[in-house]
Amino acid sequence: MIILLRIFTYVFLIIGFTGTDITVAMANCDSNSLGVSRTMRVNTNGGLRVGLVQYADTLALRDHEVVLTFDDGPIGHATQRVLDTLADECTRATFFVVGNMARAHPEQLRAMYRAGHTIAAHSNRHPMNMNRMSQARAQREIDAGFESINTALGSLGQAAPFFRYPGLAHSTSMNNWLATRNIGIFSADVMGDDWRRISSNEILRRTMRRLNQRGRGIILLHDIHNKTASMLPALLRQLKDEGFRVVHIVPTNGRFRLANETGQIPADQGFSR
Ligand SMILES: [Zn+2]
């Protein structure tokens, strides 16, 4: 009986590990869905700086691969519309969450996590001047952001060791400090400009134009804006129609469980807070 149970467990584990999108597949996903083409495990040990808007490097994406990222939430209605659209297309994103927002909407954050999205950090109160703050204050802001997210997630899991500066306002000293904490810094390759006073159509147009110029990249959008939520179905359809594929990024270090999987990504190497 014990042996049978063990075999069953192994089979279950194998299905869990190899079939990342099995649960999603049961939710009416088919070849017409945008889906997730692959999961990229990103190692942030010793630091990482990616995003061609600011840095010389970006993630090792192949031609026509994109990483979807959303900042500033969770906020409630607009975030829910974004989550629903991602679910409709059976795809996954990375959410750079503000600590205060996580505390205000813990249930939504947990739903985001359970849906398999990567939860990353975007400070605690979203100060736009982290590049001009004292180092001590900036560090507290980042620590508090991770802490708020992890408190809201509770026993479900933890934030990935991925960080994006509010307003992308980085400084060399903070970049160096984040590297000592094994936290990766994510800028962007393609900006949607959805924080500007432009229409949904214009957000879509700029995003696709810039993406086509680069051919691949980390796309930065905001889940707090209804106009972003409104244009997202069209963006995901256009990505699919133009042959783009979504890569889901997860950390190799830190404790992080993929939702809907029985397994946990191994190795708690070094990411300690
Ligand atoms: Zn932001």
Side-chain angles (χ1 to χ4, degrees):
M1 183 61 197
I2 288 171
I3 291 169
L4 267 180
L5 198 64
R6 192 163 285 174
I7 290 169
F8 178 77
T9 305
Y10 284 142
V11 168
F12 197 58
L13 275 174
I14 290 163
I15 291 170
F17 276 122
T18 57
T20 305
D21 295 304
I22 278 182
T23 310
V24 180
M26 289 191 295
N28 292 328
C29 297
D30 55 29
S31 59
N32 191 41
S33 307
L34 178 59
V36 172
S37 71
R38 66 183 174 113
T39 299
M40 179 191 282
R41 300 185 182 217
V42 180
N43 187 353
T44 60
N45 280 331
L48 178 81
R49 294 170 203 179
V50 289
L52 299 174
V53 167
Q54 285 177 292
Y55 305 119
D57 292 321
T58 192
L59 296 171
L61 296 171
R62 301 171 193 140
D63 185 45
H64 273 67
E65 284 189 334
V66 298
V67 173
L68 301 170
T69 71
F70 295 91
D71 292 4
D72 293 3
I75 202 169
H77 181 64
T79 298
Q80 195 53 51
R81 292 177 66 198
V82 167
L83 289 172
D84 290 347
T85 300
L86 295 171
D88 285 346
E89 288 285 354
C90 307
T91 194
R92 286 178 181 163
T94 297
F95 286 84
F96 287 90
V97 168
V98 175
N100 277 355
M101 305 297 272
R103 285 186 185 273
H105 302 278
E107 277 305 325
Q108 193 165 40
L109 185 76
R110 289 196 281 271
M112 199 180 260
Y113 186 97
R114 283 196 203 94
H117 302 296
T118 296
I119 309 296
H122 191 44
S123 83
N124 200 40
R125 295 167 301 122
H126 205 277
M128 295 291 279
N129 61 342
M130 285 191 64
N131 53 339
R132 298 190 304 276
M133 275 181 190
S134 73
Q135 176 108 355
R137 223 179 119 209
Q139 289 174 7
R140 278 200 302 277
E141 181 62 42
I142 291 174
D143 276 341
F146 276 101
E147 203 172 299
S148 296
I149 293 169
N150 291 337
T151 300
L153 287 175
S155 59
L156 266 188
Q158 292 187 324
F162 299 167
F163 178 73
R164 178 176 278 154
Y165 289 96
L168 305 182
H170 68 161
S171 69
T172 305
S173 59
M174 283 307 297
N175 288 354
N176 292 339
W177 178 78
L178 285 162
T180 68
R181 304 293 293 267
N182 299 319
I183 295 172
I185 302 164
F186 287 72
S187 184
D189 301 320
V190 174
M191 310 282 268
D193 283 0
D194 60 341
W195 66 93
R196 299 188 192 279
R197 288 171 181 263
I198 57 173
S199 67
S200 289
N201 280 344
E202 184 60 16
I203 297 166
L204 176 61
R205 202 181 64 77
R206 291 187 190 188
T207 304
M208 288 308 299
R209 190 190 67 213
R210 291 167 182 167
L211 179 58
N212 276 308
Q213 280 166 357
R214 290 209 190 276
R216 71 194 75 186
I218 305 166
I219 300 174
L220 189 161
L221 294 165
H222 294 79
D223 58 306
I224 55 168
H225 299 311
N226 269 308
K227 62 184 181 183
T228 305
S230 296
M231 72 94 204
L232 193 59
L235 174 66
L236 300 188
R237 271 298 87 197
Q238 204 165 334
L239 290 176
K240 174 74 178 171
D241 291 346
E242 295 188 18
F244 285 95
R245 298 175 306 280
V246 173
V247 174
H248 180 216
I249 54 170
V250 299
T252 54
N253 54 348
R255 287 179 57 240
F256 186 85
R257 190 199 303 269
L258 283 174
N260 304 328
E261 290 194 37
T262 52
Q264 188 162 327
I265 292 179
D268 281 305
Q269 321 153 7
F271 176 55
S272 56
R273 298 188 42 259

